[in-house]
Every structure is written in C-alpha cells, then in structure tokens.
Amino acid sequence: QVQLVESGGGLVQAGGSLRLSCAASKSITSINAMGWYRQASGKQRELVATLTSGGNTNYADSLKGRFTISRDIAQNMVYLQMNSLNPEDTAVYYCNARVTLGPIVMRDYWGQGTQVTVSS
C-alpha cells in the first residue's frame, strides 16, 4: 500500500514554470515506477512522464523537452518540473505509483491530484 500526496499546483501565466511535488509514504526505491498523469476537463487521463526505480524516464512525445521528472530518494519525493506552460497544459495532475505484488501482478496507486491552471 502506498499513499501519495501531490502539491505545488496553482495558477501560472502562460510561458511560466511550475514544479509539482509528490510525497510517497514509503521508499520510492521499492516502487517499480513513479509517474505523473494529467486529466483536462472533458478528456481522459493521459501520461505525462514516468520514472522507474532504476532511473529510466519516459515522456509523452508532445511534452518531451518542456517537462522533466526527477526524484529525491532520501525524501521519498518525486517532482515534475514544467516549463514554457501554455493554457493547453491546464489539468488536474496526478501522481502514480506502480508496485509489483508478485511475479506477474502489479498494482497502481494514485494521489488526490493537484490543479494546474495556465492563464492566457
């Protein structure tokens, strides 16, 4: 079981930057992968970025270069640095943890989400 708490969302002007934080209740080195997803109004939740326990990253093609996922292992924290924000980035951003329960079984945990609003 993993509890996740996001923070750092808010209102930002177009072209600005924001850093989101995700605090996990256990060591993120014991979590197979951490990630960020977002859901805009009226749309499905979509991948933003993932970071495996081994340090491999993956980004949505449209976001690569603007967004960066990182971690602080000692603090059980995962971050999402967002640069050059535009109104299309407006969404609720969710932290995700994927853990392995057995040889072929995995479970996903989600935070409550943090609202990011980018003004024109």
Side-chain angles (χ1 to χ4, degrees), residues 12-19 38 46 48-49 59-69 80-90 93 116 118:
V12 64
Q13 187 177 0
S17 298
L18 205 61
R19 190 178 79 157
R38 68 184 185 183
E46 65 177 353
V48 174
Y59 297 90
D61 288 341
S62 62
L63 302 178
K64 189 175 182 179
R66 292 197 298 122
F67 288 15
T68 304
I69 188 170
L80 182 69
Q81 179 67 45
M82 305 184 294
N83 298 325
S84 301
L85 288 165
N86 59 66
E88 287 67 45
D89 296 316
T90 295
Y93 285 71
V116 172
V118 184

Side-chain angles (χ1 to χ4, degrees), residues 90-101:
T90 295
V92 177
Y93 285 71
Y94 295 92
C95 184
N96 166 263
R98 174 166 288 181
V99 299
T100 300
L101 301 180

